[in-house]
Amino acid sequence: MRRSPYCIKLVAHESPLVNRFLVALLVGNFVLNVFDAMTTPFLALLFTRQHGLGTAEAGLLVGMVVLTGTLFALPGGALADRFGALRMGFLGFVLNVFGLVGLAHADTLASIAGFAGMLALGRAFYMPSTLALLTLLAGPGHELRMRGYRYMATNVGFSVGPLLGAALDIAGNTKGFLIAAGFNVLALAFLATSAASLLRRGERADVFRKPLEGEGAHTVSGAAHNPPTKERISIWDGLRPRFMKWHVVGAFVTAVAYAQHQSTLSQSLVAREDEAGLSLYALLMTINGVTAVAFQIPMNALSRRVGLRMGLVAGHLCYVLGFLGFALPTGRAWMPCLAMFVFTLGEVLCVLNVGAVPIFASGASDRGRYLGAAQLAQAGGGLGPMLGGVLLAALGVRDVWFAVAGLVLLALLFHLESLRALAQSPHSSSHSPFPIHLKESRRMTTPRQTVTRFFERVRSGKAPEEASLFLAPRVAAHQVVSAFGPLTLVRTPDEYAAHVRDMIHQYGLFTLTIEDVLADGNKVFVRWRQEGHHRGPLFGEPPTGAPLVQRGSAVYRVEEERIEEYWIQVEASGLETQIAAARAVGTG
């Protein structure tokens, strides 16, 4: 039988349909970046040549596109959490298509500005939404790999785009915008059909569905339960945690420093060697592009091995060494070439690890807003060339690089403070393992720790999507009910996540309290109390809103840090009595 061309195993544990959708997201990101890189560098020329705008007006419009894309990523991420990342990703793609078609036909300043803004708005919605989908679908432990794949797709897209734009003479006519729109429609169709297949089969519904009202407020404690209220998502939520404030500041300073390898480096080389400096700069940028693509996979593997903190430190130190290398004499071409190689290794490490902080600190219900907030740091890329020009004029072609190296070290301090604040916040437990450093990523070893953590994260309803961290691919679930004899179900992690979400619909925002934990070898006994309200149909009874208390116990068998089998007893008659009493009060 012929193998489907879509069975690309980006993530080995996922089904072909999930992998197909992951491929579609990466293809969409590649297409978006190809045509973004094809059109954006030529926008100013198009505005001046085709539409007769002045250079000041053209520059203002191009700046507006970049600024809009940066600022609207913040509400774009929040909207992804509110209405679903899939919906916002599609909306971003559609806005991008309309913006490209509109720019091809716009004939007034107002229409040009409107369609250019639409283009930027589409990108602001698409980027955080699709990155959230990619990392959530990849599952815990694979987020960094998936971010690396998207980084490679982005690099290749930005390498191809300008060459394609020049070949199509996009600065002299508008057909390139229509071609770009056509390819975006094709990518959107591939994405839509892949998503439809997943939704039809119901796979990974925990990621595609909208977040539940108030989801994420569950606790494993003895605290009193509060009735559920509709969750209000503010566009500023992504910046509220202290660690995110430090992260955005650090990423902003990193972006300011990173931008110096473009305009400041070219000006520095030309000031030293005139025309020879231009040729050397072209060679250095080629080394940058080739190294970024060639070393993305090895640096990704290294980052996963050494952990987030060491990845950030190594990346920023490579930046420092690269910038100091640019300060050396350029008489021997291999010296700046080596400096660019080291700098690019730092670029790859920083892109992977800086961008990983909001991913590892978030779950399915808040990833979009954190990723959207993180996009604000991209404004540093706009400030960088301006600051570099000032420093170059004030310090000269050699000392400017010492100042830039100092900026990098300052950014590293901000990032380390962000990780410190994250480790002290409730978000530090949102992913297990949380890879701040290697020892933490291997802390969970005993069966008792595995089961306890499973209750705290998954069974509590905090993060059902993390079930694959604690459950084997197929788990034998023995329902111990004496009246009917033994009943055994086989559950996958996705099915268990759906089971927990069903409980959330039935009980509302329940509180789960662990009352006893006993371990004997690889078997762990747990007794718990669950308190909630009758919010959904239960035992055939419509919701009454009455308080519900249920007790249960189970024995879990753990092998290689995964639950493979369990025997569970859950009180049912007591629940029926509580519901009947509430119904009697309501009808009486």
Side-chain angles (χ1 to χ4, degrees):
M1 185 174 67
R2 187 179 177 184
R3 185 175 176 84
S4 168
Y6 300 120
C7 293
I8 300 175
K9 301 300 284 183
L10 293 177
V11 182
H13 69 273
E14 289 293 358
S15 72
L17 283 178
V18 172
N19 275 277
R20 176 185 172 182
F21 185 74
L22 292 172
V23 171
L25 286 172
L26 292 173
V27 169
N29 185 78
F30 170 74
V31 170
L32 200 71
N33 282 292
V34 165
F35 293 104
D36 181 43
M38 185 183 90
T39 54
T40 302
F42 300 99
L43 278 179
L45 291 175
L46 178 75
F47 293 153
T48 55
R49 291 183 182 181
Q50 292 292 309
H51 300 295
L53 300 182
T55 55
E57 294 170 319
L60 181 63
L61 283 175
V62 173
M64 183 197 73
V65 171
V66 176
L67 186 62
T68 301
T70 300
L71 294 180
F72 275 86
L74 187 64
L79 290 172
D81 289 336
R82 181 66 181 87
F83 298 106
L86 185 63
R87 288 186 179 91
M88 294 308 298
F90 277 134
L91 177 59
F93 232 128
V94 170
L95 288 173
N96 196 65
V97 170
F98 276 104
L100 289 168
V101 174
L103 283 175
H105 295 93
D107 55 4
T108 65
L109 180 60
S111 61
I112 293 169
F115 286 117
M118 189 179 294
L119 201 66
L121 195 61
R123 186 176 180 83
F125 288 164
Y126 178 84
M127 298 309 280
S129 300
T130 54
L131 183 55
L133 282 174
L134 273 170
T135 53
L136 288 169
L137 283 171
H142 298 278
E143 301 96 337
L144 202 61
R145 177 184 289 113
M146 201 54 55
R147 177 165 175 78
Y149 288 149
R150 196 175 91 147
Y151 173 56
M152 179 176 286
T154 300
N155 268 333
V156 176
F158 272 99
S159 300
V160 173
L163 298 176
L164 189 58
L168 294 173
D169 189 25
I170 198 169
N173 59 73
T174 58
K175 67 180 181 182
F177 288 92
L178 296 176
I179 293 172
F183 275 95
N184 272 266
V185 169
L186 292 176
L188 180 59
F190 181 27
L191 193 62
T193 55
S194 302
S197 299
L198 270 179
L199 293 172
R200 226 176 7 251
R201 290 281 296 273
E203 292 193 37
R204 299 306 306 271
D206 56 317
V207 171
F208 284 105
R209 61 180 296 283
K210 281 198 306 182
L212 292 171
E213 292 183 354
E215 185 177 330
H218 308 274
T219 58
V220 180
S221 67
H225 176 79
N226 294 319
T229 56
K230 187 172 182 179
E231 183 186 22
R232 294 182 179 179
I233 296 179
S234 164
I235 65 171
W236 303 107
D237 284 350
L239 287 173
R240 294 193 194 282
R242 184 166 170 266
F243 76 89
M244 276 301 295
K245 293 183 177 70
W246 284 112
H247 169 74
V248 171
V249 172
F252 176 86
V253 178
T254 299
V256 169
Y258 169 78
Q260 306 310 315
H261 85 290
Q262 297 170 334
S263 61
T264 306
L265 180 58
S266 61
Q267 293 180 75
S268 173
L269 292 175
V270 169
R272 288 183 178 189
E273 300 189 23
D274 198 23
E275 291 300 321
L278 284 177
S279 300
L280 179 58
Y281 180 69
L283 174 62
L284 294 181
M285 296 310 292
T286 301
I287 292 173
N288 177 254
V290 171
T291 304
V293 173
F295 281 84
Q296 185 272 319
I297 293 178
M299 292 297 101
N300 195 312
L302 177 65
S303 296
R304 295 198 305 272
R305 181 175 178 80
V306 303
L308 190 55
R309 180 177 286 117
M310 287 304 301
L312 284 168
V313 171
H316 283 78
L317 290 181
C318 284
Y319 269 165
V320 168
L321 292 175
F323 286 134
L324 294 179
F326 295 151
L328 297 175
T330 58
R332 296 179 179 179
W334 66 267
M335 295 176 69
C337 290
L338 179 60
M340 178 56 79
F341 173 75
V342 174
F343 166 85
T344 308
L345 294 182
E347 174 187 341
V348 177
L349 285 169
C350 283
V351 167
L352 292 173
N353 290 280
V354 171
V357 172
I359 293 173
F360 286 126
S362 60
S365 63
D366 55 9
R367 182 157 300 176
R369 71 195 81 170
Y370 284 157
L371 291 173
Q375 291 293 312
L376 291 177
Q378 299 305 312
L383 177 63
M386 293 184 284
L387 179 62
V390 172
L391 291 175
L392 189 61
L395 301 176
V397 296
R398 186 176 67 91
D399 291 345
V400 64
W401 299 114
F402 292 99
V404 174
L407 273 179
V408 175
L409 294 176
L410 178 63
L412 178 58
L413 292 178
F414 290 140
H415 287 301
L416 294 178
E417 179 61 26
S418 172
L419 292 185
R420 192 183 71 82
L422 178 57
Q424 295 174 351
S425 76
H427 298 80
S428 64
S429 61
S430 65
H431 271 271
S432 179
F434 181 76
I436 291 181
H437 55 66
L438 193 59
K439 289 183 180 178
E440 286 182 353
S441 70
R442 296 183 179 176
R443 180 180 299 166
M444 189 174 63
T445 55
T446 69
R448 181 189 178 106
Q449 289 172 323
T450 298
V451 173
T452 303
R453 193 75 177 132
F454 165 73
F455 265 77
E456 291 174 348
R457 297 299 302 157
V458 179
R459 178 58 180 82
S460 67
K462 278 185 178 179
E465 69 276 4
E466 294 179 14
S468 61
L469 277 174
F470 305 96
L471 300 179
R474 295 174 65 82
V475 178
H478 306 285
Q479 317 290 317
V480 183
V481 183
S482 57
F484 302 101
L487 174 64
T488 300
L489 303 175
V490 176
R491 280 186 169 143
T492 66
D494 281 348
E495 289 169 344
Y496 194 90
H499 171 57
V500 173
R501 291 190 183 279
D502 287 341
M503 285 193 285
I504 296 172
H505 283 296
Q506 293 167 340
Y507 291 89
L509 299 181
F510 60 81
T511 299
L512 190 70
T513 304
I514 297 176
E515 296 186 328
D516 278 309
V517 181
L518 300 172
D520 183 9
N522 66 340
K523 289 186 177 179
V524 181
F525 169 81
V526 182
R527 186 168 60 86
W528 67 89
R529 182 178 73 254
Q530 182 170 308
E531 299 173 83
H533 287 70
H534 189 194
R535 300 296 181 186
L538 197 59
F539 302 118
E541 291 287 343
T544 63
L548 293 178
V549 179
Q550 184 184 42
R551 284 180 165 82
S553 62
V555 175
Y556 296 88
R557 181 172 65 83
V558 181
E559 301 290 346
E560 296 182 356
E561 300 185 350
R562 293 291 188 277
I563 295 170
E564 291 199 350
E565 189 176 16
Y566 62 87
W567 296 260
I568 185 169
Q569 290 179 296
V570 178
E571 175 193 26
S573 59
L575 277 180
E576 293 175 335
T577 301
Q578 294 173 65
I579 293 172
R583 182 68 62 198
V585 171
T587 56

